[in-house]
Coordinates of all heavy atoms in Angstrom, one line a residue:
I1 N -7.6 37.1 3.3 CA -8.2 36.1 2.8 C -8.6 35.1 4.0 O -9.8 34.6 3.8 CB -7.3 35.3 1.9 CG1 -7.0 36.2 0.6 CG2 -7.9 33.9 1.4 CD1 -6.0 35.5 -0.2
I2 N -7.8 34.9 4.9 CA -8.2 33.8 5.8 C -8.7 34.4 7.2 O -8.2 35.3 7.8 CB -6.9 33.2 6.4 CG1 -6.1 32.5 5.1 CG2 -7.0 32.1 7.4 CD1 -4.8 31.9 5.4
L3 N -9.8 33.9 7.5 CA -10.8 34.5 8.6 C -10.6 33.5 9.8 O -10.8 34.2 10.9 CB -12.2 34.4 8.2 CG -12.5 35.4 7.1 CD1 -14.1 35.3 6.9 CD2 -12.2 36.8 7.3
G4 N -9.9 32.4 9.6 CA -9.8 31.6 10.8 C -10.2 30.2 10.5 O -10.9 29.7 9.3
P5 N -10.0 29.1 11.4 CA -10.6 27.8 11.1 C -12.1 27.8 11.2 O -12.7 28.5 11.9 CB -9.9 27.0 12.4 CG -9.7 28.0 13.4 CD -9.4 29.4 12.7
M6 N -12.6 26.8 10.4 CA -14.0 26.5 10.5 C -14.3 26.0 11.9 O -13.5 25.4 12.6 CB -14.4 25.4 9.5 CG -14.4 25.8 8.1 SD -15.7 27.0 7.7 CE -15.4 27.1 5.9
P7 N -15.5 26.4 12.4 CA -16.0 26.0 13.8 C -15.7 24.7 14.2 O -15.3 24.3 15.3 CB -17.3 26.5 13.9 CG -17.5 27.5 12.8 CD -16.7 27.1 11.7
D8 N -16.0 23.7 13.2 CA -15.9 22.3 13.4 C -14.5 21.6 12.9 O -14.5 20.4 12.9 CB -17.1 21.6 13.0 CG -17.5 22.0 11.5 OD1 -16.7 22.7 10.9 OD2 -18.6 21.6 11.1
A9 N -13.7 22.4 12.6 CA -12.4 21.8 12.0 C -11.7 20.8 12.8 O -11.3 19.7 12.4 CB -11.5 23.0 11.4
D10 N -11.5 21.3 14.1 CA -10.9 20.3 14.9 C -11.6 19.0 15.1 O -11.0 17.9 15.1 CB -10.7 20.9 16.4 CG -9.5 21.9 16.4 OD1 -8.3 21.4 16.4 OD2 -9.8 23.2 16.3
D11 N -12.9 19.0 15.3 CA -13.8 17.8 15.4 C -13.7 16.9 14.2 O -13.7 15.7 14.3 CB -15.1 18.2 15.8 CG -15.3 18.7 17.2 OD1 -14.4 18.6 18.1 OD2 -16.4 19.6 17.5
M12 N -13.7 17.7 13.1 CA -13.8 16.8 11.8 C -12.4 16.1 11.6 O -12.4 14.9 11.2 CB -14.1 17.9 10.7 CG -14.4 17.2 9.4 SD -15.3 18.4 8.3 CE -14.3 19.8 8.4
V13 N -11.3 16.8 11.9 CA -10.1 16.1 11.5 C -9.8 15.1 12.6 O -9.4 14.0 12.3 CB -8.9 17.2 11.7 CG1 -7.5 16.4 11.7 CG2 -9.0 18.2 10.6
S14 N -10.2 15.2 13.8 CA -10.2 14.2 14.9 C -11.0 13.0 14.5 O -10.6 11.8 14.8 CB -10.6 14.8 16.2 OG -10.6 13.8 17.2
F15 N -12.2 13.3 14.0 CA -13.1 12.2 13.6 C -12.4 11.1 12.6 O -12.4 10.0 12.7 CB -14.4 12.7 13.0 CG -15.4 11.8 12.5 CD1 -16.3 11.2 13.3 CD2 -15.3 11.4 11.1 CE1 -17.1 10.2 12.8 CE2 -16.1 10.5 10.6 CZ -17.1 9.9 11.4
F16 N -11.8 11.8 11.6 CA -11.1 11.0 10.6 C -9.8 10.5 11.0 O -9.4 9.4 10.6 CB -10.9 11.9 9.2 CG -12.2 12.0 8.5 CD1 -12.8 13.3 8.4 CD2 -12.9 11.0 7.9 CE1 -14.0 13.5 7.8 CE2 -14.0 11.1 7.2 CZ -14.6 12.4 7.0
R17 N -9.1 11.2 11.9 CA -7.9 10.8 12.3 C -8.1 9.4 13.2 O -7.3 8.4 13.0 CB -7.2 11.8 13.3 CG -5.9 11.3 14.0 CD -4.8 11.7 13.1 NE -4.5 10.7 12.1 CZ -3.7 10.7 11.0 NH1 -3.2 11.9 10.6 NH2 -3.4 9.7 10.3
E18 N -9.2 9.2 13.8 CA -9.4 8.1 14.6 C -10.0 6.9 13.7 O -9.9 5.7 14.2 CB -10.5 8.3 15.6 CG -9.9 9.3 16.7 CD -11.0 9.8 17.7 OE1 -12.0 9.5 17.6 OE2 -10.6 10.6 18.5
R19 N -10.7 7.3 12.6 CA -11.5 6.3 11.8 C -10.9 5.9 10.5 O -11.3 4.8 10.0 CB -12.9 6.6 11.8 CG -13.6 6.8 13.1 CD -14.9 7.5 12.9 NE -15.7 7.6 14.2 CZ -15.5 8.4 15.3 NH1 -14.6 9.3 15.1 NH2 -16.2 8.3 16.4
A20 N -10.2 6.8 9.8 CA -9.8 6.5 8.4 C -8.5 5.9 8.4 O -7.7 5.9 9.4 CB -9.8 7.9 7.6
K21 N -8.2 5.3 7.2 CA -7.0 4.7 7.1 C -5.7 5.7 7.2 O -4.7 5.5 7.8 CB -6.8 4.0 5.6 CG -5.5 3.4 5.3 CD -5.6 2.7 4.0 CE -4.2 2.1 3.6 NZ -4.2 1.5 2.3
D22 N -6.0 6.9 6.5 CA -5.0 8.0 6.6 C -5.7 9.3 6.3 O -6.9 9.3 5.8 CB -3.9 7.7 5.7 CG -2.5 8.4 6.2 OD1 -2.6 9.2 7.0 OD2 -1.5 8.1 5.6
L23 N -5.1 10.4 6.6 CA -5.7 11.5 6.0 C -4.6 12.7 5.6 O -3.4 12.5 6.3 CB -6.6 12.2 7.1 CG -6.1 12.7 8.4 CD1 -5.7 14.3 8.4 CD2 -7.3 12.7 9.5
G24 N -4.8 13.7 4.8 CA -3.9 14.5 4.5 C -4.6 15.7 3.9 O -5.8 15.9 4.0
V25 N -3.7 16.8 3.4 CA -4.2 17.9 2.8 C -3.7 18.3 1.5 O -2.5 17.8 1.2 CB -3.7 19.1 3.8 CG1 -3.9 20.6 3.0 CG2 -4.6 19.2 4.9
L26 N -4.5 18.6 0.5 CA -4.1 19.2 -0.8 C -4.6 20.5 -1.0 O -5.7 20.6 -1.2 CB -4.5 18.2 -1.9 CG -4.3 18.4 -3.2 CD1 -2.8 18.5 -3.6 CD2 -4.9 17.4 -4.1
S27 N -3.7 21.4 -1.0 CA -4.1 22.8 -1.1 C -3.3 23.7 -2.0 O -2.2 23.8 -2.1 CB -4.0 23.5 0.4 OG -4.4 24.7 0.5
N28 N -4.2 24.5 -2.7 CA -3.6 25.6 -3.5 C -3.4 26.9 -2.6 O -4.4 27.4 -2.0 CB -4.6 26.1 -4.5 CG -4.6 25.1 -5.7 OD1 -3.9 24.0 -5.7 ND2 -5.5 25.3 -6.6
T29 N -2.2 27.1 -2.2 CA -1.9 28.1 -1.2 C -0.4 28.7 -1.5 O 0.1 28.7 -2.5 CB -2.0 27.6 0.2 OG1 -2.0 28.5 1.2 CG2 -0.9 26.5 0.4
C30 N 0.0 29.5 -0.5 CA 1.2 30.3 -0.6 C 1.8 30.5 0.7 O 1.2 30.2 1.7 CB 0.9 31.6 -1.2 SG 0.0 32.7 -0.3

């Protein structure tokens, strides 16, 4: 199912880590 991280995943998370109040993940997974 999992092919790998999206190409811009690190940059996207870093962008919000620096600018948003907080961030998290809500995932249907196993």
Side-chain angles (χ1 to χ4, degrees):
I1 292 174
I2 300 171
L3 301 177
M6 289 290 187
D8 47 9
D10 284 282
D11 290 341
M12 191 159 46
V13 173
S14 178
F15 175 88
F16 284 111
R17 182 80 275 167
E18 294 171 1
R19 294 168 175 82
K21 178 179 180 180
D22 205 349
L23 67 86
V25 163
L26 176 58
S27 177
N28 292 351
T29 189
C30 62

